[in-house]
Amino acid sequence: SLGYLGPFTASFGNGGTYTHQGEIASFLGAGNNGNNITCERSAGDCVGYSQRSGRITILDGVGNDAGAKMSGGLIIIRGSAGLRIGGGMSGGDIIVHGDVGSDPGAGMTGGRIVVNGRCPSPPPGVKLRPLEKSEVEEINQLLGDADLHIPADAVCLETDGTYVEGIMSSCTEDLSGI
């Protein structure tokens, strides 16, 4: 598809491939359960919200709450990501080639967020660490495309084993665009 699309584009899919050449509003790939989704421009808030499996690739940045509540799958972001990326996630991987906003991983209980860019100090319950050499190799194999490979100096955010109640705010979308 081409142009600007509204909220809930390619959401709740159970397999298949979708490519969009343009911008997409909020909730791109929400509830994804096996789709391979590519957005060749920017996407709004809540990309991959509650994603269970599949792959979402955004080539020009995302808004707030990308990967919120996701339990599996892969989200790849080229460009900046807004506030609370990966907030409340319990599994899966988020790879960001760009800067991330404040509170990355807030309330996460599993999964990992890899940042190849600037990353602020994580909130309580989340630790920031360097990647192991074996992780870099594993992630780059998962990404496949050499243009998306992460360098050895990328950092990883993951849970520190504690959960801080109430730190993950709700996604700010009101769902009025459905």
Side-chain angles (χ1 to χ4, degrees):
S1 58
L2 301 168
Y4 177 82
L5 297 178
F8 290 96
T9 298
S11 294
F12 312 109
N14 285 313
T17 301
Y18 178 76
T19 301
H20 179 68
Q21 295 178 345
E23 294 181 22
I24 297 178
S26 58
F27 289 97
L28 168 66
N32 187 18
N33 193 24
N35 283 356
N36 184 0
I37 300 167
T38 301
C39 175
E40 296 182 0
R41 293 294 307 250
S42 63
D45 295 339
C46 302
V47 167
Y49 184 84
S50 291
Q51 173 172 293
R52 293 175 286 180
S53 68
R55 179 178 177 135
I56 300 174
T57 305
I58 299 97
L59 300 179
D60 195 18
V62 297
N64 299 327
D65 301 304
K69 305 286 186 181
M70 73 184 278
S71 59
L74 174 64
I75 297 176
I76 304 162
I77 301 164
R78 277 182 151 176
S80 297
L83 306 174
R84 295 175 304 276
I85 187 163
M89 70 187 288
S90 60
D93 291 307
I94 301 174
I95 312 295
V96 182
H97 289 284
D99 302 337
V100 298
S102 63
D103 293 328
M108 71 187 301
T109 58
R112 67 183 166 191
I113 304 167
V114 175
V115 180
N116 176 25
R118 289 181 293 188
C119 182
S121 296
V126 179
K127 67 180 176 182
L128 177 70
R129 65 171 178 82
L131 288 168
E132 301 289 329
K133 183 178 179 181
S134 61
E135 285 180 296
V136 172
E137 292 170 3
E138 171 211 342
I139 292 166
N140 285 337
Q141 187 174 15
L142 178 67
L143 294 172
D145 184 350
D147 288 340
L148 295 174
H149 282 188
I150 59 165
D153 63 349
V155 296
C156 180
L157 294 160
E158 63 187 8
T159 181
D160 68 4
T162 62
Y163 177 72
V164 180
E165 186 69 38
I167 192 154
M168 172 56 191
S169 66
S170 298
C171 191
T172 55
E173 265 303 314
D174 64 1
L175 310 182
S176 63
I178 296 177

